[in-house]
Amino acid sequence: MKSQFGERVRELREKQNLYLRQVAPFLEMDTAQLSKIEKGSRLLKRDQIPVLAEILKADSNELLVLWLADQLYEVVKDEDVALKAMDAAQETLKSNKRNKRNK
Amino acid sequence: MKSQFGERVRELREKQNLYLRQVAPFLEMDTAQLSKIEKGSRLLKRDQIPVLAEILKADSNELLVLWLADQLYEVVKDEDVALKAMDAAQETLKSNKRNKRNK
DNA sequence: ATTGACTTGTCATATATTGGCAAATATACC
DNA sequence: GGTATATTTGCCAATATATGACAAGTCAAT
């Protein structure tokens, strides 16, 4: 339930001295929702990441990485074989990338 | 939509010379569902993996790893930063494991 | 005790996933 | 050709999960 994405967003928001109520409207949500996002109990929509990044004057890709990482973590967090699964997935990714490049 | 888990299950099932209709009942589903699982368009329930492993005389953990890896892949497959996200998630996993060990 | 920032709970609704069945396809055999 | 068996696909109702909106709550400062 804790989320690296959320924590980072909060950090960035505080660095910009913005209140939830100042940020939330740009994302078309209320402060309650944004609060939950920062706390990690809700997910920001994928396509709002760049919007948020701009408001917070942050790097969109950095936020995206954290946002994805949270979800990856969620999949395997209770599994003994978590790291093995990550390795396997990484392998698949790498070999798919190779194929793409050469197609 | 292609799935390593599904492909492996099919391999194992064929090695055991079993038909879908012979396996499906043990998982309390029909052949159509099992077919979809092998094809990767449906997910087997987490707690059925050991059941399936036993039917196929396979290693439950091996199947679990593939099952998880498919889902990890699904999260990041279209993302440019997929590998970065995986690294980040792996880091989190490792550091959480350290904390668990020492708590 | 009032104000402002944030958090939490609830609940109706939207969205996604699943289960079950029927029909389609594929392959082999006669 | 026609039948039989195995698998696949499409559809849709049922279930489960996620989301949005709002009210009420906590907490800290004054």
Side-chain angles (χ1 to χ4, degrees):
Chain A
M1 179 127 159
K2 117 192 291 207
S3 107
Q4 303 204 232
F5 175 79
E7 284 173 11
R8 183 74 179 118
V9 167
R10 175 143 303 187
E11 236 178 69
L12 290 163
R13 179 173 61 82
E14 286 174 347
K15 193 156 60 184
Q16 299 291 325
N17 288 304
L18 295 169
Y19 297 128
L20 289 176
R21 78 178 148 73
Q22 297 175 289
V23 175
F26 290 104
L27 302 169
E28 295 169 283
M29 61 179 68
D30 64 10
T31 62
Q33 277 174 90
L34 186 50
S35 167
K36 284 170 189 168
I37 287 166
E38 288 185 352
K39 292 281 197 175
S41 74
R42 296 254 171 140
L43 217 51
L44 186 68
K45 288 211 168 69
R46 166 72 175 79
D47 61 359
Q48 299 226 276
I49 295 174
V51 180
L52 183 55
E54 201 187 340
I55 302 168
L56 301 180
K57 306 194 198 313
D59 178 40
S60 186
N61 266 341
E62 183 214 338
L63 290 182
L64 176 55
V65 167
L66 295 175
W67 185 86
L68 291 168
D70 281 346
Q71 283 163 83
L72 292 172
Y73 180 75
E74 199 55 32
V75 172
V76 294
K77 63 168 193 270
D78 297 324
E79 302 286 353
D80 290 342
V81 297
L83 283 167
K84 279 186 191 177
M86 297 270 310
D87 286 343
Q90 233 161 6
E91 261 320 296
T92 309
L93 270 172
K94 284 176 187 162
S95 78
N96 285 8
K97 193 180 274 184
R98 270 194 295 279
N99 286 343
K100 236 187 216 168
R101 185 166 348 106
N102 298 334
K103 83 139 187 288
Chain B
M1 180 129 157
K2 117 189 288 207
S3 106
Q4 303 206 230
F5 175 79
E7 284 173 10
R8 184 73 180 118
V9 167
R10 174 143 303 188
E11 238 177 65
L12 290 163
R13 178 173 62 80
E14 288 174 345
K15 193 155 61 185
Q16 300 291 324
N17 288 301
L18 295 170
Y19 297 128
L20 290 176
R21 78 177 148 75
Q22 297 175 290
V23 175
F26 289 104
L27 302 168
E28 296 170 283
M29 60 179 66
D30 66 8
T31 61
Q33 278 174 88
L34 186 49
S35 168
K36 283 169 191 169
I37 287 166
E38 289 185 352
K39 292 282 199 175
S41 75
R42 295 257 170 135
L43 217 51
L44 185 69
K45 287 211 169 67
R46 167 72 176 79
D47 61 0
Q48 300 224 276
I49 295 173
V51 179
L52 183 55
E54 201 186 340
I55 301 168
L56 302 179
K57 305 198 199 313
D59 179 40
S60 185
N61 266 342
E62 183 214 339
L63 291 181
L64 176 56
V65 166
L66 295 176
W67 184 87
L68 291 168
D70 282 345
Q71 285 164 80
L72 292 172
Y73 179 74
E74 200 54 31
V75 172
V76 293
K77 63 170 193 276
D78 297 324
E79 302 286 353
D80 290 342
V81 296
L83 283 167
K84 279 187 192 176
M86 297 269 310
D87 285 344
Q90 233 162 9
E91 263 318 298
T92 309
L93 270 172
K94 284 178 185 161
S95 80
N96 283 8
K97 193 181 271 185
R98 272 195 292 281
N99 286 343
K100 238 187 209 165
R101 185 167 347 106
N102 299 334
K103 84 137 188 286

